[in-house]
Amino acid sequence: MIITVFIVGFVMAGILDLWLRKKFSIQKNEKFMDQYVNKLHFVFEILLCAFFIVNVAVRGFSGKYLYFVLFLFFGLVFAIRVVMEYVFKKEQRKFIISLAYMAVCLACAATILLFL
């Protein structure tokens, strides 16, 4: 079941990405660091990743609950990107792609939650 959620999530994200980039004429990132709006955004995501890793290590999540937390974490990362891109780089419209990824991650998390 988890594999199915992963596959459907990746396919949905890929299709949405291609469709939204074509519809709104959104350019792809040239480099890895292009995805961050500013240094504060980069630091905030690094801290969020560290918090997630420590949280998983301390609580010892396992099984389906770990995958639920993982998708929830990525949904939160993309939610932060939506806010940062909307506030600082609204004219590039990259927040639309991040919003789509956030929706896919949260939908996958909700699907896994149904089967816990």
Side-chain angles (χ1 to χ4, degrees):
M1 198 287 296
I2 298 290
I3 300 296
T4 306
V5 172
F6 273 120
I7 291 170
V8 170
F10 278 112
V11 169
M12 283 176 47
I15 290 171
L16 274 173
D17 186 86
L18 291 173
W19 181 70
L20 290 172
R21 285 189 191 279
K22 187 174 182 178
K23 180 174 179 158
F24 294 105
S25 300
I26 301 171
Q27 298 295 320
K28 283 193 166 207
N29 296 331
E30 294 295 322
K31 299 179 285 188
F32 174 72
M33 290 303 292
D34 286 347
Q35 66 184 344
Y36 300 107
V37 174
N38 52 29
K39 290 186 189 250
L40 178 66
H41 181 205
F42 177 72
V43 169
F44 197 63
E45 281 196 17
I46 293 296
L47 289 174
L48 186 63
C49 290
F51 175 74
F52 173 74
I53 291 169
V54 168
N55 196 11
V56 168
V58 169
R59 294 187 184 218
F61 295 124
S62 63
K64 292 179 183 175
Y65 194 70
L66 176 65
Y67 295 111
F68 166 72
V69 171
L70 185 65
F71 276 114
L72 200 61
F73 164 72
F74 281 116
L76 182 60
V77 166
F78 284 116
I80 291 167
R81 285 187 185 176
V82 166
V83 171
M84 296 296 278
E85 290 169 351
Y86 185 77
V87 170
F88 293 107
K89 291 189 175 182
K90 186 188 297 188
E91 65 280 353
Q92 291 182 358
R93 296 187 291 200
K94 289 185 179 181
F95 68 92
I96 297 169
I97 301 293
S98 296
L99 188 64
Y101 284 144
M102 181 189 75
V104 168
C105 288
L106 293 178
C108 290
T111 304
I112 291 172
L113 189 61
L114 290 173
F115 294 102
L116 280 179

